[in-house]
Amino acid sequence: MADGGIMGRIDELISEEHELRARSVGAGLSGEDRERLAGVEQELDQCWDLLRQRRAKVEFDEDPAGAKVRSVGEVEGYRQ
């Protein structure tokens, strides 16, 4: 996936995250919505990680197509 496609997916996920968070105000989210929000957050982290990998490869004159989506466990385990 090219950077533009990744950014497009990030935009979609951010919109969905905002929608879920807006619904959570007051009554809260259903169990299904809480699970979906967690999934959205995880997928966002994976997308940002993939984008960072691709940009690093370009910076070091490597093929950005070599960047791979990493597992949620790997991405979520990073220290900030």
Side-chain angles (χ1 to χ4, degrees):
M1 184 184 301
D3 289 1
I6 297 168
M7 287 302 300
R9 182 65 183 142
I10 287 171
D11 288 342
E12 291 170 2
L13 291 166
I14 288 172
S15 292
E16 185 175 359
E17 180 185 32
H18 287 174
E19 179 185 324
L20 287 165
R21 290 193 185 282
R23 276 196 274 163
S24 72
V25 176
L29 294 174
S30 68
E32 184 178 308
D33 284 342
R34 281 193 303 275
E35 286 179 27
R36 180 61 194 146
L37 180 57
V40 166
E41 291 170 340
Q42 291 171 344
E43 189 176 346
L44 263 171
D45 288 344
Q46 285 178 303
C47 286
W48 282 117
D49 176 67
L50 180 60
L51 192 60
R52 282 190 295 272
Q53 286 181 62
R54 289 181 55 82
R55 289 178 175 173
K57 286 188 178 293
V58 168
E59 183 178 342
F60 291 98
D61 295 320
E62 295 178 24
D63 183 3
K68 303 289 182 219
V69 175
R70 297 187 239 223
S71 71
V72 170
E74 187 174 359
V75 172
E76 294 293 315
Y78 292 148
R79 296 181 122 186
Q80 296 295 322

